[in-house]
């Protein structure tokens, strides 16, 4: 847990578990660090604020901080680990998510032993209904040890207090993660192709059809395939993401016919969003 000088308003919070007494420190749009009671701070548009603390650069570590371009917001979101980048991909593909931010708020509270504690959730996501998700992105379910497991009680209580949710997002299965990375390479709108191509794809894949066969029916695969992958990213076309994606993968424009439920298996994005599936890559 990270230390921070608290205001006098910080009260004992962890023991009650109801979110009362928790405060929030964040950077305003003007660049000022400010601190408010959590129930007041929850009205802040955290998706629009800068990180309250930077991701460290650790000498010798193979992975350092980077930037994820969000198709949801059209802006970059910083990430500090491969696990966090993967969860950004999952949330960015969720149609219920309207905003994303990294480390936008620090939660502060006084523990039962009287010491001030703080925690900075790694991710924030805004949903279309206005509610929010605070999340951490461990590389494995046990990452962070007992301290992380104990600390989760406070953000859980804080989020429940304002009808939000807090989650430690579990890494998706390797095949799903690989397929998401592939489709994410086509997430930019420039890959959707010229006007009329989306309608042509919907017609070509009106029923279950092999990916390469449907693309060839529309036009030159070199020009059509990027639009197919973009449509798979956006959910206009669907296919199982828990199986390798290849030229014979069955694709359909009707989500109900191609099945669903992978979002539940992923356990990501706060349990909201379309079912997701996956595959081996053709380019």
């Amino acid at each position: 847990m990270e230390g921070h000088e608290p205001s006098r308003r910080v009260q004992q919070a962890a023991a009650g578990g109801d979110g009362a007494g928790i405060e929030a420190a964040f950077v305003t749009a003007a660049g000022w660090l400010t601190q408010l009671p959590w129930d007041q701070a929850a009205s802040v548009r955290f998706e629009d604020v800068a990180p309250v603390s930077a991701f460290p650069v650790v000498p010798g570590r193979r992975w350092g901080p980077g930037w994820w371009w969000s198709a949801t917001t059209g802006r970059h979101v910083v990430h500090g680990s491969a696990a966090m980048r993967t969860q950004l991909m999952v949330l960015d593909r969720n149609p219920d998510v309207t905003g994303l931010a990294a480390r936008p708020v620090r939660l502060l509270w006084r523990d039962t032993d009287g010491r001030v504690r703080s925690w900075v959730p790694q991710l924030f996501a805004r949903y279309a209904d206005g509610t929010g998700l605070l999340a951490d992105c461990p590389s494995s379910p046990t990452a962070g040890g007992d301290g992380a497991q104990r600390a989760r009680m406070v953000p859980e209580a804080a989020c429940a207090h304002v009808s939000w949710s807090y989650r430690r997002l579990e890494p998706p299965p390797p095949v799903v993660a690989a397929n998401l990375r592939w489709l994410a390479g086509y997430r930019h709108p420039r890959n959707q192709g010229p006007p009329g191509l989306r309608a042509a794809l919907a017609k070509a894949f009106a029923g279950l059809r092999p990916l390469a066969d449907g693309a060839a029916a529309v036009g030159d695969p070199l020009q059509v395939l990027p639009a197919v992958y973009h449509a798979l990213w956006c959910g206009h076309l669907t296919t199982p993401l828990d199986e390798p994606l290849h030229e014979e993968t069955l694709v359909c424009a009707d989500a109900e016919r191609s099945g669903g439920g992978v979002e539940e298996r992923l356990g990501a994005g706060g349990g909201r969003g379309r079912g997701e599936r996956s595959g081996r890559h053709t380019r």
Side-chain angles (χ1 to χ4, degrees):
M1 297 184 191
E2 302 179 47
H4 187 85
E5 183 65 29
S7 76
R8 295 180 180 179
R9 296 188 302 268
V10 178
Q11 303 295 323
Q12 184 171 324
D18 60 357
I22 298 174
E23 295 209 350
F26 58 94
V27 179
T28 66
W32 294 97
L33 181 65
T34 189
Q35 189 168 314
L36 292 173
W38 168 245
D39 55 359
Q40 296 180 30
S43 62
V44 172
R45 286 183 56 84
F46 289 125
E47 59 267 49
D48 295 332
V49 304
V52 74
S53 64
F55 289 100
V57 176
V58 181
R61 181 179 292 179
R62 295 180 59 188
W63 187 275
W67 294 92
W68 172 262
W69 183 82
S70 168
T72 298
T73 66
R75 296 182 294 188
H76 284 89
V77 182
V78 67
H79 57 78
S81 68
M84 186 176 175
R85 186 187 67 173
T86 297
Q87 298 300 346
L88 277 170
M89 285 194 298
V90 175
L91 289 166
D92 201 18
R93 192 170 179 261
N94 187 330
D96 288 339
V97 172
T98 61
L100 289 168
R103 286 190 166 184
V105 62
R106 182 192 302 273
L107 301 178
L108 301 107
W109 69 97
R110 194 175 297 280
D111 212 343
T112 52
D113 59 7
R115 291 186 296 176
V116 172
R117 307 282 189 171
S118 73
W119 190 263
V120 183
Q122 290 178 298
L123 277 177
F124 169 79
R126 177 78 66 186
Y127 291 118
D129 63 3
T131 60
L133 167 74
L134 291 178
D136 286 306
C137 309
S139 57
S140 68
T142 59
D146 293 340
Q149 297 297 332
R150 290 193 301 269
R152 69 183 299 170
M153 295 187 296
V154 173
E156 282 177 349
C159 287
H161 189 62
V162 294
S163 300
W164 288 8
S165 57
Y166 168 80
R167 299 189 65 185
R168 280 171 57 88
L169 301 174
E170 294 186 8
V175 171
V176 174
N179 289 319
L180 283 175
R181 285 194 296 270
W182 177 264
L183 295 181
Y186 297 89
R187 67 190 182 279
H188 197 282
R190 63 173 172 261
N191 292 299
Q192 64 188 350
L197 184 52
R198 176 179 168 183
L201 290 174
K203 182 177 180 180
F205 291 102
L208 288 171
R209 190 172 190 176
L211 186 153
D213 180 54
V218 174
D220 182 354
L222 291 177
Q223 297 180 351
V224 175
L225 279 173
V228 172
Y229 294 132
H230 178 77
L232 286 169
W233 169 266
C234 295
H236 303 148
L237 299 178
T238 58
T239 192
L241 290 186
D242 52 358
E243 301 171 2
L245 186 66
H246 53 88
E247 63 274 6
E248 296 300 322
T249 295
L250 294 179
V251 175
C252 186
D254 184 347
E256 293 184 357
R257 292 189 61 180
S258 64
V262 175
E263 192 78 30
E264 288 80 8
R265 293 197 290 276
L266 275 176
R272 303 165 184 247
R274 56 171 145 328
E276 296 189 327
R277 313 291 198 103
S278 213
R280 186 175 75 223
H281 316 314
T282 59
R283 202 171 211 171

mmCIF file of all heavy atoms in Angstrom, residues 203-228:
data_model
loop_
_atom_site.group_PDB
_atom_site.id
_atom_site.type_symbol
_atom_site.label_atom_id
_atom_site.label_comp_id
_atom_site.label_asym_id
_atom_site.label_seq_id
_atom_site.Cartn_x
_atom_site.Cartn_y
_atom_site.Cartn_z
ATOM 1 N N LYS A 203 -24.031 -9.234 -45.259
ATOM 2 C CA LYS A 203 -24.755 -10.087 -46.211
ATOM 3 C C LYS A 203 -23.985 -11.379 -46.465
ATOM 4 O O LYS A 203 -24.565 -12.473 -46.494
ATOM 5 C CB LYS A 203 -24.964 -9.332 -47.523
ATOM 6 C CG LYS A 203 -25.755 -10.122 -48.567
ATOM 7 C CD LYS A 203 -25.982 -9.281 -49.815
ATOM 8 C CE LYS A 203 -26.766 -10.069 -50.861
ATOM 9 N NZ LYS A 203 -26.992 -9.256 -52.093
ATOM 10 N N ALA A 204 -22.652 -11.260 -46.644
ATOM 11 C CA ALA A 204 -21.842 -12.440 -46.926
ATOM 12 C C ALA A 204 -21.843 -13.419 -45.758
ATOM 13 O O ALA A 204 -21.794 -14.643 -45.962
ATOM 14 C CB ALA A 204 -20.411 -12.021 -47.253
ATOM 15 N N PHE A 205 -21.898 -12.874 -44.526
ATOM 16 C CA PHE A 205 -21.867 -13.722 -43.332
ATOM 17 C C PHE A 205 -23.236 -13.779 -42.652
ATOM 18 O O PHE A 205 -23.318 -13.923 -41.435
ATOM 19 C CB PHE A 205 -20.816 -13.199 -42.351
ATOM 20 C CG PHE A 205 -19.397 -13.381 -42.828
ATOM 21 C CD1 PHE A 205 -18.682 -12.314 -43.353
ATOM 22 C CD2 PHE A 205 -18.785 -14.627 -42.750
ATOM 23 C CE1 PHE A 205 -17.370 -12.464 -43.781
ATOM 24 C CE2 PHE A 205 -17.480 -14.795 -43.184
ATOM 25 C CZ PHE A 205 -16.761 -13.716 -43.712
ATOM 26 N N ALA A 206 -24.288 -13.685 -43.446
ATOM 27 C CA ALA A 206 -25.637 -13.775 -42.877
ATOM 28 C C ALA A 206 -25.866 -15.113 -42.189
ATOM 29 O O ALA A 206 -26.621 -15.215 -41.221
ATOM 30 C CB ALA A 206 -26.674 -13.549 -43.971
ATOM 31 N N GLY A 207 -25.210 -16.138 -42.683
ATOM 32 C CA GLY A 207 -25.210 -17.440 -42.032
ATOM 33 C C GLY A 207 -23.781 -17.822 -41.696
ATOM 34 O O GLY A 207 -22.824 -17.173 -42.140
ATOM 35 N N LEU A 208 -23.619 -18.873 -40.905
ATOM 36 C CA LEU A 208 -22.275 -19.326 -40.560
ATOM 37 C C LEU A 208 -21.488 -19.649 -41.819
ATOM 38 O O LEU A 208 -21.960 -20.382 -42.698
ATOM 39 C CB LEU A 208 -22.349 -20.554 -39.659
ATOM 40 C CG LEU A 208 -22.814 -20.319 -38.222
ATOM 41 C CD1 LEU A 208 -23.040 -21.639 -37.513
ATOM 42 C CD2 LEU A 208 -21.794 -19.479 -37.468
ATOM 43 N N ARG A 209 -20.265 -19.083 -41.900
ATOM 44 C CA ARG A 209 -19.468 -19.245 -43.115
ATOM 45 C C ARG A 209 -17.992 -19.149 -42.761
ATOM 46 O O ARG A 209 -17.609 -18.338 -41.912
ATOM 47 C CB ARG A 209 -19.841 -18.147 -44.110
ATOM 48 C CG ARG A 209 -19.260 -18.327 -45.504
ATOM 49 C CD ARG A 209 -19.850 -17.293 -46.444
ATOM 50 N NE ARG A 209 -19.508 -17.565 -47.834
ATOM 51 C CZ ARG A 209 -19.959 -16.855 -48.867
ATOM 52 N NH1 ARG A 209 -20.777 -15.817 -48.647
ATOM 53 N NH2 ARG A 209 -19.612 -17.166 -50.101
ATOM 54 N N PRO A 210 -17.138 -19.961 -43.398
ATOM 55 C CA PRO A 210 -15.704 -19.847 -43.130
ATOM 56 C C PRO A 210 -15.202 -18.442 -43.408
ATOM 57 O O PRO A 210 -15.611 -17.799 -44.380
ATOM 58 C CB PRO A 210 -15.081 -20.871 -44.085
ATOM 59 C CG PRO A 210 -16.155 -21.874 -44.304
ATOM 60 C CD PRO A 210 -17.435 -21.082 -44.303
ATOM 61 N N LEU A 211 -14.286 -17.972 -42.560
ATOM 62 C CA LEU A 211 -13.801 -16.608 -42.636
ATOM 63 C C LEU A 211 -13.245 -16.271 -44.016
ATOM 64 O O LEU A 211 -13.623 -15.260 -44.630
ATOM 65 C CB LEU A 211 -12.733 -16.407 -41.553
ATOM 66 C CG LEU A 211 -12.153 -15.012 -41.334
ATOM 67 C CD1 LEU A 211 -11.683 -14.871 -39.893
ATOM 68 C CD2 LEU A 211 -10.999 -14.711 -42.270
ATOM 69 N N ALA A 212 -12.321 -17.094 -44.534
ATOM 70 C CA ALA A 212 -11.684 -16.792 -45.817
ATOM 71 C C ALA A 212 -12.687 -16.856 -46.955
ATOM 72 O O ALA A 212 -12.633 -16.051 -47.890
ATOM 73 C CB ALA A 212 -10.532 -17.761 -46.065
ATOM 74 N N ASP A 213 -13.627 -17.792 -46.911
ATOM 75 C CA ASP A 213 -14.628 -17.934 -47.968
ATOM 76 C C ASP A 213 -15.526 -16.704 -48.026
ATOM 77 O O ASP A 213 -15.816 -16.170 -49.103
ATOM 78 C CB ASP A 213 -15.460 -19.198 -47.716
ATOM 79 C CG ASP A 213 -16.513 -19.417 -48.777
ATOM 80 O OD1 ASP A 213 -16.169 -19.439 -49.975
ATOM 81 O OD2 ASP A 213 -17.698 -19.547 -48.412
ATOM 82 N N GLY A 214 -15.973 -16.233 -46.855
ATOM 83 C CA GLY A 214 -16.830 -15.053 -46.827
ATOM 84 C C GLY A 214 -16.108 -13.805 -47.293
ATOM 85 O O GLY A 214 -16.674 -12.972 -48.016
ATOM 86 N N ALA A 215 -14.819 -13.660 -46.900
ATOM 87 C CA ALA A 215 -14.052 -12.495 -47.337
ATOM 88 C C ALA A 215 -13.871 -12.500 -48.846
ATOM 89 O O ALA A 215 -14.007 -11.462 -49.509
ATOM 90 C CB ALA A 215 -12.701 -12.472 -46.639
ATOM 91 N N ALA A 216 -13.566 -13.670 -49.416
ATOM 92 C CA ALA A 216 -13.366 -13.763 -50.860
ATOM 93 C C ALA A 216 -14.649 -13.471 -51.625
ATOM 94 O O ALA A 216 -14.607 -12.950 -52.744
ATOM 95 C CB ALA A 216 -12.839 -15.154 -51.214
ATOM 96 N N ALA A 217 -15.796 -13.792 -51.040
ATOM 97 C CA ALA A 217 -17.072 -13.534 -51.708
ATOM 98 C C ALA A 217 -17.365 -12.039 -51.814
ATOM 99 O O ALA A 217 -18.135 -11.613 -52.683
ATOM 100 C CB ALA A 217 -18.198 -14.234 -50.956
ATOM 101 N N VAL A 218 -16.745 -11.242 -50.957
ATOM 102 C CA VAL A 218 -16.984 -9.803 -50.955
ATOM 103 C C VAL A 218 -16.031 -9.076 -51.898
ATOM 104 O O VAL A 218 -16.407 -8.090 -52.548
ATOM 105 C CB VAL A 218 -16.850 -9.244 -49.521
ATOM 106 C CG1 VAL A 218 -16.941 -7.717 -49.518
ATOM 107 C CG2 VAL A 218 -17.943 -9.831 -48.629
ATOM 108 N N GLY A 219 -14.783 -9.562 -51.986
ATOM 109 C CA GLY A 219 -13.814 -8.885 -52.844
ATOM 110 C C GLY A 219 -12.426 -9.410 -52.612
ATOM 111 O O GLY A 219 -12.234 -10.516 -52.081
ATOM 112 N N ASP A 220 -11.423 -8.629 -52.997
ATOM 113 C CA ASP A 220 -10.026 -8.994 -52.835
ATOM 114 C C ASP A 220 -9.731 -9.189 -51.353
ATOM 115 O O ASP A 220 -9.858 -8.244 -50.566
ATOM 116 C CB ASP A 220 -9.146 -7.884 -53.400
ATOM 117 C CG ASP A 220 -7.652 -8.212 -53.305
ATOM 118 O OD1 ASP A 220 -7.297 -9.249 -52.705
ATOM 119 O OD2 ASP A 220 -6.849 -7.408 -53.811
ATOM 120 N N PRO A 221 -9.359 -10.408 -50.947
ATOM 121 C CA PRO A 221 -9.122 -10.653 -49.518
ATOM 122 C C PRO A 221 -8.111 -9.697 -48.895
ATOM 123 O O PRO A 221 -8.229 -9.358 -47.715
ATOM 124 C CB PRO A 221 -8.608 -12.097 -49.496
ATOM 125 C CG PRO A 221 -9.215 -12.724 -50.701
ATOM 126 C CD PRO A 221 -9.221 -11.634 -51.746
ATOM 127 N N LEU A 222 -7.098 -9.245 -49.645
ATOM 128 C CA LEU A 222 -6.118 -8.319 -49.097
ATOM 129 C C LEU A 222 -6.767 -7.008 -48.658
ATOM 130 O O LEU A 222 -6.297 -6.342 -47.731
ATOM 131 C CB LEU A 222 -5.015 -8.038 -50.114
ATOM 132 C CG LEU A 222 -4.070 -9.216 -50.411
ATOM 133 C CD1 LEU A 222 -3.070 -8.812 -51.480
ATOM 134 C CD2 LEU A 222 -3.355 -9.663 -49.149
ATOM 135 N N GLN A 223 -7.860 -6.640 -49.320
ATOM 136 C CA GLN A 223 -8.561 -5.419 -48.965
ATOM 137 C C GLN A 223 -9.708 -5.684 -47.989
ATOM 138 O O GLN A 223 -10.041 -4.826 -47.168
ATOM 139 C CB GLN A 223 -9.109 -4.753 -50.226
ATOM 140 C CG GLN A 223 -8.033 -4.300 -51.202
ATOM 141 C CD GLN A 223 -8.606 -3.642 -52.443
ATOM 142 O OE1 GLN A 223 -9.822 -3.661 -52.669
ATOM 143 N NE2 GLN A 223 -7.742 -3.033 -53.254
ATOM 144 N N VAL A 224 -10.282 -6.877 -48.072
ATOM 145 C CA VAL A 224 -11.475 -7.182 -47.279
ATOM 146 C C VAL A 224 -11.127 -7.698 -45.890
ATOM 147 O O VAL A 224 -11.819 -7.387 -44.915
ATOM 148 C CB VAL A 224 -12.369 -8.198 -48.026
ATOM 149 C CG1 VAL A 224 -13.559 -8.620 -47.150
ATOM 150 C CG2 VAL A 224 -12.865 -7.614 -49.337
ATOM 151 N N LEU A 225 -10.049 -8.471 -45.761
ATOM 152 C CA LEU A 225 -9.740 -9.088 -44.473
ATOM 153 C C LEU A 225 -9.563 -8.076 -43.343
ATOM 154 O O LEU A 225 -10.046 -8.316 -42.227
ATOM 155 C CB LEU A 225 -8.503 -9.980 -44.590
ATOM 156 C CG LEU A 225 -8.750 -11.374 -45.167
ATOM 157 C CD1 LEU A 225 -7.437 -12.104 -45.385
ATOM 158 C CD2 LEU A 225 -9.660 -12.196 -44.259
ATOM 159 N N PRO A 226 -8.879 -6.927 -43.565
ATOM 160 C CA PRO A 226 -8.810 -5.952 -42.458
ATOM 161 C C PRO A 226 -10.190 -5.516 -41.978
ATOM 162 O O PRO A 226 -10.397 -5.325 -40.770
ATOM 163 C CB PRO A 226 -8.030 -4.782 -43.074
ATOM 164 C CG PRO A 226 -7.193 -5.416 -44.131
ATOM 165 C CD PRO A 226 -8.052 -6.505 -44.702
ATOM 166 N N ALA A 227 -11.137 -5.375 -42.910
ATOM 167 C CA ALA A 227 -12.493 -4.995 -42.523
ATOM 168 C C ALA A 227 -13.188 -6.129 -41.771
ATOM 169 O O ALA A 227 -13.985 -5.885 -40.860
ATOM 170 C CB ALA A 227 -13.301 -4.604 -43.750
ATOM 171 N N VAL A 228 -12.882 -7.375 -42.141
ATOM 172 C CA VAL A 228 -13.450 -8.527 -41.417
ATOM 173 C C VAL A 228 -12.955 -8.522 -39.975
ATOM 174 O O VAL A 228 -13.742 -8.667 -39.022
ATOM 175 C CB VAL A 228 -13.075 -9.851 -42.114
ATOM 176 C CG1 VAL A 228 -13.494 -11.046 -41.250
ATOM 177 C CG2 VAL A 228 -13.743 -9.940 -43.477
#
